[in-house]
Amino acid sequence: MNSKRAMAQLLKHLTGLGVTHLPKVEVQVRRVAAEAARAAAPAEVPAAAGARRAVKPSAGTGGAAVVQPLRRIPGLEGVDGAGGVRRPGALPEIERVLSGPLETAGQRQDAACAVAQLVAGCRRCSELADRRTQTVFGAGSLTAEIMFIGEAPGQDEDEQGVPFVGAAGQLLAKIIGACRLRREDLYICNVLRCRPPGNRTPTPQEAANCREFLDAQIQIVRPKYIVCWGAVAAQNLLGVTTPISKLRGRLFEYQGAVVLATYHPSYLLRTPAAKKDVWEDMKLLMRQRGVELV
């Protein structure tokens, strides 16, 4: 897809979200020096004691939260010898965006628009870039307390440019309502911003290529809570290979946010019996916010 068509689709999507202007951003993709990359590399998650201080149980929860301190995904800091995954050089344009003020809703909107422009022109994954209709950046409130992270856009998302709008998105909407939340009060994005062919699972390299954009969204929104929907989201965010069945039902800490991992809505469509597990997970998350669900 040529750059003019990509920009036209991006502008149409942003207009639909109520964006009225875009900041001027010089888009120039290049690698930065190794020293700069190391300086920007994420730090290790705090030790166990610090992590537990970051998550305080709400009144009446009956005990302290279970929080497991974890490291970031190894492949993002260089070459993963086991899988050969390499993180692309950081984009200085994103570093400049994130170095500016991000306190007000307007400042965060400007920052998100700038990053979205960079995403729209991204070709790090040539197979995905050649096949996509458009990139799917994210949707929702940039001051949200809760961020949802999914796997990758599907066909409906690729066509509409909005995450979670297909059958899985309809089920997610019911879960959101049952939790006494509204979609517009959340921020929703994916590990990938392009649809993989045939909705296949993203490769580790594709996830590494897109990780800079996910990190930028997290820094812009600054959520207090993150819900990872499915193994791809949880394993990539937390940097583990643990099955989702063993990650769910527990709380983790990531950059000051409480992280909950649970089954993806598409899995629930295939395995309805797992809905009860997701409901228990969401009750655990909401309990941390002082909301009791029955």
Side-chain angles (χ1 to χ4, degrees), residues 95-158:
E95 293 179 347
R96 286 197 293 270
V97 168
L98 298 180
S99 66
L102 297 171
E103 299 302 324
T104 68
Q107 290 168 343
R108 296 186 190 190
Q109 184 181 74
D110 287 346
C113 289
V115 177
Q117 290 182 61
L118 294 169
V119 169
C122 177
R123 294 193 56 83
R124 286 173 172 172
C125 305
S126 58
E127 179 188 20
L128 306 190
D130 289 341
R131 292 170 175 263
R132 73 191 179 207
T133 302
Q134 59 190 309
T135 55
V136 182
F137 185 67
S141 171
L142 293 168
T143 59
E145 187 177 75
I146 303 174
M147 173 182 278
F148 283 0
I149 302 177
E151 179 176 314
Q155 180 177 348
D156 293 315
E157 291 76 15
D158 176 68

Side-chain angles (χ1 to χ4, degrees), residues 82-236:
V85 176
R86 180 181 293 275
R87 181 178 184 176
L91 296 176
E93 292 84 2
I94 290 184
E95 293 179 347
R96 286 197 293 270
V97 168
L98 298 180
S99 66
L102 297 171
E103 299 302 324
T104 68
Q107 290 168 343
R108 296 186 190 190
Q109 184 181 74
D110 287 346
C113 289
V115 177
Q117 290 182 61
L118 294 169
V119 169
C122 177
R123 294 193 56 83
R124 286 173 172 172
C125 305
S126 58
E127 179 188 20
L128 306 190
D130 289 341
R131 292 170 175 263
R132 73 191 179 207
T133 302
Q134 59 190 309
T135 55
V136 182
F137 185 67
S141 171
L142 293 168
T143 59
E145 187 177 75
I146 303 174
M147 173 182 278
F148 283 0
I149 302 177
E151 179 176 314
Q155 180 177 348
D156 293 315
E157 291 76 15
D158 176 68
E159 293 174 352
Q160 299 183 41
V162 181
F164 281 99
V165 293
Q170 294 173 18
L171 177 55
L172 182 64
K174 294 180 180 179
I175 296 173
I176 291 172
C179 292
R180 305 176 198 169
L181 300 170
R182 301 185 307 167
R183 180 174 172 128
E184 55 265 34
D185 295 330
L186 310 171
Y187 188 79
I188 306 176
C189 61
N190 285 302
V191 169
L192 296 192
R193 276 129 208 86
C194 297
R195 179 194 179 194
N199 294 347
R200 63 161 171 75
T201 301
T203 69
Q205 184 61 62
E206 289 167 348
N209 288 344
C210 221
R211 182 57 181 266
E212 183 177 17
F213 305 130
L214 175 60
D215 285 339
Q217 288 170 297
I218 293 174
Q219 290 185 55
I220 291 170
V221 178
R222 301 179 187 176
K224 293 181 180 180
Y225 306 93
I226 296 175
V227 180
C228 292
W229 295 94
V232 171
Q235 292 171 354
N236 276 281

